Amino acid sequence: MLILHDGLVDEHANILKQVWKASIPSNVAAFSWSLLQDRIQTKENLSKRRIELADNDDSCSFCAQTVESTQHLLFNCKLSSAAWNYYFKWLGIVGVQHQEPTNHFIQHNFQGVDSISNKRWKVIWHAVVGSLWCLGTPLFLRINLWTRKRHSRW
């Protein structure tokens, strides 16, 4: 017998609901929802789906030093980390940033802050990850079109 009720599953589902409740355009919500499930089209995710770049380069579009994963591209890379540091400094927030996307999103749920301010923090989070993605995407698309491996199955 399979029991589907799990606190972590419920918590993740609740987080995903928060994305759709945010006062943001639906395409931004769709992107953030995909991001929190690690379903955006990073080079690592494309490789997992047996889609590869014509030049077989899976390195980060920003730094070209490691594999381009969701976590690296939007949170760990030197460029994205600098953007987050600037953002936190601009808002006067001091603290350690989570590197995992879901925990990073949860980090923007501040206790003791009114709900309107909390909504604003989350809108800013969506704006920053969306901006980083848009910054990385043109670099990614300038590389040759993807080619599908012959033996792959969808």
Side-chain angles (χ1 to χ4, degrees):
M1 182 160 116
L2 180 65
I3 300 174
L4 296 176
H5 183 73
D6 181 13
L8 292 176
V9 172
D10 289 344
E11 182 180 343
H12 192 70
N14 196 19
I15 290 165
L16 294 175
K17 285 180 187 176
Q18 289 179 29
V19 170
W20 292 109
K21 290 180 180 179
S23 300
I24 55 176
S26 59
N27 62 333
V28 175
F31 171 76
S32 295
W33 185 81
S34 297
L35 163 67
L36 293 173
Q37 297 187 81
D38 195 21
R39 299 288 189 251
I40 61 173
Q41 294 181 353
T42 60
K43 293 176 184 179
E44 180 183 61
N45 284 344
L46 291 171
S47 177
K48 287 178 186 176
R49 290 169 181 80
R50 298 189 188 274
I51 299 171
E52 62 184 26
L53 295 171
D55 61 0
N56 291 324
D57 180 21
D58 65 351
S59 61
C60 174
S61 296
F62 293 145
C63 70
Q65 294 180 352
T66 189
V67 174
E68 184 184 275
S69 66
T70 302
Q71 186 170 330
H72 174 78
L73 183 68
L74 298 176
F75 303 103
N76 295 9
C77 181
K78 290 179 195 176
L79 186 134
S80 57
S81 184
W84 285 110
N85 287 334
Y86 182 79
Y87 155 70
F88 280 112
K89 185 178 177 182
W90 176 62
L91 294 173
I93 299 172
V94 177
V96 177
Q97 301 171 38
H98 285 283
Q99 301 301 311
E100 193 275 324
T102 303
N103 289 331
H104 202 277
F105 180 76
I106 292 170
Q107 185 177 11
H108 287 76
N109 187 16
F110 297 103
Q111 300 298 322
V113 176
D114 62 271
S115 65
I116 292 174
S117 294
N118 250 334
K119 288 178 183 178
R120 288 180 184 148
W121 293 117
K122 288 185 179 144
V123 167
I124 293 171
W125 184 87
H126 293 288
V128 173
V129 295
S131 297
L132 287 169
W133 178 253
C134 288
L135 182 61
T137 301
L139 296 171
F140 180 75
L141 293 177
R142 284 185 208 139
I143 301 170
N144 295 331
L145 295 175
W146 308 320
T147 57
R148 186 174 164 202
K149 291 181 181 175
R150 289 184 209 163
H151 62 279
S152 68
R153 290 184 144 186
W154 290 88

